Amino acid sequence: MSYAHGSRRALITGGAGFLGSHLCERLLTMDFEVVCLDNFLTGSAANIAYLLHDPRFQAIECNINEVAEIPGEIGLVLHFASPASPADYLRFPIQTLQAGSSGTLRALEVARAKQARFILASSSEVYGNPLEHPQRESYWGNVNPIGLRSVYDEAKRFGEALTTAYRKEFGVNTAIARIFNTYGPRMRTNDGRAVPTFARQAIRGEPVTVTGDGGQTRSFCYVDDTVDGVLMLAQSDYPGPVNIGSQEELAISRLATLITEIVSSRSPVHFVERPADDPEIRCPNTALANEVLGWSPKISLESGLKKTLAWFADQLAAEGQGA
């Protein structure tokens, strides 16, 4: 892939997180220099440890809100700093809101000062519990502003508004990626989202806990495909928002059985109480991403899950938690 937005030096906030670390790795393969900022609230030093030997990679432990200056040229700012799983953002509500508000402001200021391309990692959660299905970028969403999940939903919605304002007011070269349910290696085994939770339980032979009746749907996109979409957006001039996700929608109960089948687990499925404001349906309309970026996911759910579950099995064995 070519890059036409100035310096081949990228700043990634949240670069030690699940998705951020994959972006760091990919950009290095594209011959970028990479500056990774992370306060390790939910990110992991292990995710980027293998990159530290590369002289083109720099890791800085800090909160994006505390960054005064990044020396040198920057051609690309990717703002991915935020708790991302319900378990994390409910444990860190204020930090989540700060990442989406003052954190986005600080990252935008860096992009403005460096005249860099800016990519906001927004989320399908801006659609809330959608009344439109599948969700197009033109849909405004159905979000409870004081509900259980509002600290994440509204942080992302505010981040989008601020990013748009910087584009209009200051001419910052911005873009918004609305990311849908990414999964893959380097997710934390206890992160609370469906894939890690079901993987851990199935591999250990424990009951797989499905919330509600399991009929709620999600659309899962393998991390390599998500990274492709984000970087294709970065290399374009399109401002977004643009959905980055898979249209392969399935019920959560089906995901649970698929994971147990792949790891040949005898774990029974147990149904537990469903969290408040948990969306009933979630599936992107990705026609826009295909039209303006030429992007669509390439990795099937079953193929992606096999890769992911193999990684989880190794990780749990290393932690002494295997079956």
Side-chain angles (χ1 to χ4, degrees):
M1 298 184 200
S2 62
Y3 182 74
H5 293 292
S7 169
R8 296 184 70 84
R9 186 165 181 253
L11 171 68
I12 306 180
T13 73
F18 158 55
L19 191 47
S21 65
H22 282 276
L23 283 163
C24 289
E25 179 181 47
R26 181 72 67 84
L27 283 168
L28 288 169
T29 69
M30 295 167 61
D31 203 27
F32 271 74
E33 294 180 37
V34 175
V35 180
C36 162
L37 294 186
D38 207 298
N39 65 354
F40 299 105
L41 183 70
T42 59
S44 169
N47 286 342
I48 56 170
Y50 72 108
L51 301 177
L52 293 173
H53 73 279
D54 193 322
R56 299 168 303 159
F57 181 75
Q58 179 184 10
I60 302 173
E61 182 175 357
C62 69
N63 189 308
I64 180 60
N65 295 292
E66 299 166 359
V67 174
E69 176 62 25
I70 302 293
E73 293 184 346
I74 296 287
L76 177 62
V77 176
L78 296 152
H79 183 39
F80 277 70
S82 177
S85 77
D88 286 338
Y89 59 69
L90 294 177
R91 188 163 72 251
F92 303 115
I94 304 303
Q95 293 95 324
T96 301
L97 286 161
Q98 288 174 329
S101 54
S102 54
T104 303
L105 177 67
R106 185 67 201 113
L108 280 162
E109 280 294 318
V110 173
R112 181 187 176 195
K114 303 292 186 180
Q115 297 185 308
R117 173 78 160 153
F118 176 88
I119 307 297
L120 175 70
S122 188
S123 167
S124 62
E125 296 298 331
V126 301
Y127 298 122
N129 190 13
L131 304 179
E132 173 180 297
H133 192 68
Q135 295 84 58
R136 295 171 297 175
E137 290 84 353
S138 58
Y139 176 54
W140 290 358
N142 178 37
V143 173
N144 178 357
I146 59 170
L148 194 65
R149 302 166 71 100
S150 64
V151 295
Y152 187 72
D153 300 356
E154 298 293 10
K156 292 300 185 183
R157 287 162 71 94
F158 179 84
E160 288 198 9
L162 188 60
T163 298
T164 303
Y166 261 69
R167 185 178 185 88
K168 292 178 178 177
E169 183 73 14
F170 301 121
V172 179
N173 185 2
T174 65
I176 298 167
R178 289 180 180 162
I179 297 169
F180 281 69
N181 295 92
T182 302
Y183 71 99
R186 295 188 211 139
M187 298 184 89
R188 300 196 331 271
T189 56
N190 63 345
D191 117 334
R193 284 178 279 193
V195 170
T197 299
F198 296 167
R200 185 186 73 250
Q201 292 168 336
I203 291 167
R204 296 174 66 181
E206 299 172 351
V208 175
T209 53
V210 173
T211 61
D213 63 4
Q216 64 272 28
T217 68
R218 297 292 183 270
S219 302
F220 295 93
C221 190
Y222 188 66
V223 63
D224 288 356
D225 282 329
T226 297
V227 167
D228 282 345
V230 168
L231 293 182
M232 289 170 80
L233 177 61
Q235 291 156 24
S236 76
D237 289 312
Y238 190 69
V242 59
N243 290 335
I244 302 295
S246 170
Q247 291 188 290
E248 191 175 354
E249 180 186 14
L250 81 164
I252 291 296
S253 58
R254 174 57 189 148
L255 175 70
T257 56
L258 185 58
I259 286 175
T260 58
E261 289 167 3
I262 290 172
V263 302
S264 300
S265 172
R266 296 183 179 180
S267 293
V269 173
H270 282 189
F271 294 94
V272 298
E273 186 177 359
R274 189 169 166 190
D277 296 326
D278 185 43
E280 190 66 37
I281 51 178
R282 183 59 52 75
C283 181
N285 181 323
T286 57
L288 183 61
N290 186 258
E291 176 187 344
V292 301
L293 305 177
W295 177 85
S296 59
K298 297 179 176 64
I299 299 170
S300 71
L301 179 63
E302 185 169 355
S303 175
L305 282 175
K306 285 179 179 177
K307 295 178 183 182
T308 304
L309 293 168
W311 183 88
F312 272 119
D314 290 344
Q315 189 73 9
L316 288 167
E319 294 172 4
Q321 297 180 23

